[in-house]
Amino acid sequence: MRIIRSISLALIFLLLFSSSSKADSIPNKMHLSLQLSPLALIDFYNGSSYRIGSQLVITENIAISADFGGYFKNFNYLKNNKGFYSFVAFKYRLPNSPQSWISLSYSYKQQSFNYHDSFEQDPNTPVVVHVQKYVNCLNLNYETNAILFRKSYINFFAGVGIRFRNVQSLQTKHEFDELKDGGDSQTLYFVLIPGKNTWLNLNAGIRLGFYLF
């Protein structure tokens, strides 16, 4: 909780400061920036992860960005969590809006972890569910930047797309309903149920960017 409060206070400060900055304060001819994803550290759904990326402005209206990262071993109900995450987006700057973009993104995640619980019919016998996930996502996003200082910014993004999910975990979906602690959790349902599925994907978050040159 202390980490969450610290990150939240830092983001509030950055947002307040950015409101007094002008969009045209970006230095001219800055093409490459480093990007960090602070909210990935407190992702209760997928587990705490570290991500670092970059953005390259190719032409005045075209850019490409990419993120890569991995997972911290234990967070919330995810134990022995490991894997990697990758993301790439092709971006088009909107006319007459220097800080707004439309992007087409692709992300890939490979993740494995252990979930500890028991079944309702035998609550005194511990059960360890090993989960292996492969997830591919395609999204259409709207992005906008808020300038912090002369060479840094916050990137806000949100979008909608499609998620291709392949999960190996329980033997059947019915077993999820029999879990003593997790069986009533809607969040755990999306995390643990096995099978190959195609779902609607909603995408939103922020990145901190730092111009290099």
Side-chain angles (χ1 to χ4, degrees):
M1 293 300 294
R2 186 175 300 174
I3 295 176
I4 296 175
R5 287 196 298 268
S6 299
I7 293 176
S8 299
L9 289 174
L11 290 176
I12 291 172
F13 169 78
L14 293 175
L15 288 171
L16 290 175
F17 186 89
S18 67
S19 65
S20 63
S21 301
K22 294 183 178 180
D24 60 3
S25 64
I26 297 180
N28 293 328
K29 299 181 180 179
M30 284 290 181
H31 298 291
L32 182 65
S33 59
L34 176 70
Q35 296 188 142
L36 304 175
S37 301
L39 293 184
L41 296 171
I42 53 172
D43 186 343
F44 291 96
Y45 180 77
N46 295 297
S48 180
S49 65
Y50 51 90
R51 297 178 187 177
I52 186 170
S54 62
Q55 175 178 280
L56 176 64
V57 179
I58 301 173
T59 68
E60 182 178 355
N61 295 318
I62 302 296
I64 184 172
S65 65
D67 297 338
F68 300 94
Y71 295 90
F72 293 103
K73 187 173 182 179
N74 295 304
F75 183 80
N76 202 15
Y77 55 82
L78 307 178
K79 307 302 180 184
N80 197 28
N81 191 19
K82 55 187 177 181
F84 67 91
Y85 171 88
S86 61
F87 170 95
V88 62
F90 297 92
K91 305 170 63 173
Y92 172 74
R93 193 194 308 270
L94 295 178
N96 303 317
S97 184
Q99 299 308 314
S100 298
W101 305 77
I102 293 294
S103 67
L104 179 64
S105 66
Y106 166 76
S107 63
Y108 173 75
K109 176 176 67 176
Q110 178 180 321
Q111 182 184 16
S112 65
F113 59 87
N114 294 327
Y115 170 72
H116 295 255
D117 204 332
S118 61
F119 289 117
E120 290 183 344
Q121 63 268 31
D122 190 7
N124 296 320
T125 302
V127 172
V128 178
V129 180
H130 179 71
V131 181
Q132 178 70 57
K133 301 177 67 175
Y134 304 92
V135 180
N136 295 268
C137 295
L138 285 172
N139 269 75
L140 184 65
N141 312 293
Y142 171 77
E143 304 187 27
T144 186
N145 293 339
I147 307 306
L148 297 177
F149 307 99
R150 183 168 174 78
K151 290 188 178 182
S152 60
Y153 59 90
I154 300 181
N155 171 255
F156 300 89
F157 63 92
V160 63
I162 191 168
R163 171 185 294 252
F164 303 96
R165 175 183 180 275
N166 182 5
V167 177
Q168 302 162 14
S169 56
L170 299 162
Q171 294 297 317
T172 66
K173 292 182 180 180
H174 177 68
E175 282 187 319
F176 174 83
D177 298 323
E178 298 176 346
L179 291 174
K180 179 177 179 294
D181 295 326
D184 294 327
S185 171
Q186 189 67 26
T187 300
L188 280 175
Y189 174 83
F190 291 110
V191 173
L192 295 180
I193 61 166
K196 296 181 179 180
N197 312 95
T198 301
W199 289 348
L200 175 71
N201 188 65
L202 300 178
N203 187 36
I206 68 170
R207 299 184 184 91
L208 298 180
F210 305 91
Y211 289 103
L212 302 177
F213 57 84

